[in-house]
Amino acid sequence: MTQKEGKTLFGPVEHPWFAPLWRRILLVAFCFGWTGVEYYFGNTTWVYIVGAIALFAAYAYLYAYKGPDDPSRETRPRMEDDEG
Protein backbone atom coordinates (compact mmCIF):
# COMPACT_ATOMS: atom_id res chain seq x y z
CA MET A 1 0.00 0.00 0.00
CA THR A 2 1.54 3.21 -1.07
CA GLN A 3 0.44 6.69 -0.21
CA LYS A 4 -0.40 8.49 -3.44
CA GLU A 5 -2.54 11.60 -3.47
CA GLY A 6 -3.70 10.96 0.09
CA LYS A 7 -5.20 7.56 -0.70
CA THR A 8 -4.49 3.97 0.17
CA LEU A 9 -5.54 0.78 -1.50
CA PHE A 10 -8.96 1.03 0.18
CA GLY A 11 -9.67 4.67 -0.57
CA PRO A 12 -9.00 8.06 1.01
CA VAL A 13 -8.09 8.02 4.69
CA GLU A 14 -7.05 11.66 4.96
CA HIS A 15 -10.47 13.21 4.63
CA PRO A 16 -10.83 16.57 6.43
CA TRP A 17 -13.61 15.11 8.59
CA PHE A 18 -11.00 12.92 10.31
CA ALA A 19 -8.73 15.85 11.21
CA PRO A 20 -9.74 15.94 14.92
CA LEU A 21 -7.93 13.19 16.82
CA TRP A 22 -11.00 12.29 18.89
CA ARG A 23 -12.94 11.23 15.77
CA ARG A 24 -10.17 8.88 14.68
CA ILE A 25 -9.87 7.40 18.17
CA LEU A 26 -13.65 6.93 18.36
CA LEU A 27 -13.69 5.13 15.00
CA VAL A 28 -10.91 2.75 16.01
CA ALA A 29 -12.48 2.13 19.44
CA PHE A 30 -15.83 1.34 17.79
CA CYS A 31 -14.17 -1.18 15.46
CA PHE A 32 -12.40 -2.93 18.33
CA GLY A 33 -15.61 -2.82 20.39
CA TRP A 34 -17.52 -4.45 17.56
CA THR A 35 -14.82 -7.13 17.39
CA GLY A 36 -15.49 -7.80 21.08
CA VAL A 37 -19.23 -8.09 20.44
CA GLU A 38 -18.65 -10.66 17.70
CA TYR A 39 -16.27 -12.58 19.96
CA TYR A 40 -18.83 -12.55 22.78
CA PHE A 41 -21.47 -14.10 20.53
CA GLY A 42 -19.05 -16.70 19.20
CA ASN A 43 -18.93 -15.57 15.58
CA THR A 44 -15.29 -16.39 14.92
CA THR A 45 -15.39 -15.61 11.20
CA TRP A 46 -16.70 -12.12 11.92
CA VAL A 47 -14.14 -11.70 14.70
CA TYR A 48 -11.37 -12.14 12.13
CA ILE A 49 -13.04 -9.90 9.55
CA VAL A 50 -13.91 -7.04 11.90
CA GLY A 51 -10.61 -7.47 13.74
CA ALA A 52 -8.73 -7.01 10.48
CA ILE A 53 -10.76 -3.87 9.76
CA ALA A 54 -10.00 -2.59 13.26
CA LEU A 55 -6.27 -3.21 12.82
CA PHE A 56 -6.28 -1.44 9.46
CA ALA A 57 -8.20 1.48 10.96
CA ALA A 58 -5.72 1.72 13.85
CA TYR A 59 -2.80 1.78 11.43
CA ALA A 60 -4.36 4.18 8.91
CA TYR A 61 -6.01 6.65 11.30
CA LEU A 62 -3.69 6.63 14.30
CA TYR A 63 -0.23 5.76 12.97
CA ALA A 64 0.02 6.76 9.31
CA TYR A 65 -2.52 9.61 9.24
CA LYS A 66 -1.19 12.90 7.89
CA GLY A 67 -3.29 15.89 8.76
CA PRO A 68 -4.38 18.55 6.29
CA ASP A 69 -1.51 20.85 7.32
CA ASP A 70 1.26 18.24 6.93
CA PRO A 71 3.80 19.46 4.32
CA SER A 72 4.67 15.92 3.19
CA ARG A 73 1.08 15.13 2.27
CA GLU A 74 0.53 14.86 -1.47
CA THR A 75 -2.80 16.07 -2.79
CA ARG A 76 -4.21 16.89 -6.18
CA PRO A 77 -4.77 20.55 -7.03
CA ARG A 78 -8.36 21.71 -6.98
CA MET A 79 -10.06 21.94 -10.33
CA GLU A 80 -11.40 25.31 -11.36
CA ASP A 81 -15.16 25.70 -11.51
CA ASP A 82 -16.35 25.65 -15.08
CA GLU A 83 -18.43 28.64 -16.09
CA GLY A 84 -20.49 27.72 -19.03
Side-chain angles (χ1 to χ4, degrees):
M1 265 185 280
T2 60
Q3 292 279 358
K4 184 175 182 181
E5 298 179 2
K7 296 183 180 181
T8 65
L9 179 65
F10 299 110
V13 296
E14 296 176 356
H15 192 276
W17 191 82
F18 291 113
L21 178 62
W22 70 268
R23 288 181 179 168
R24 292 180 276 138
I25 291 173
L26 186 65
L27 174 73
V28 172
F30 176 80
C31 290
F32 278 113
W34 195 260
T35 303
V37 168
E38 296 296 347
Y39 179 78
Y40 177 77
F41 286 110
N43 300 323
T44 55
T45 302
W46 284 107
V47 169
Y48 291 127
I49 293 170
V50 179
I53 293 170
L55 289 174
F56 174 76
Y59 170 77
Y61 292 111
L62 299 179
Y63 179 73
Y65 183 82
K66 294 177 183 169
D69 298 332
D70 193 305
S72 66
R73 181 175 169 198
E74 298 178 18
T75 58
R76 292 181 289 175
R78 290 183 171 257
M79 296 184 67
E80 299 293 325
D81 292 333
D82 290 336
E83 294 181 15

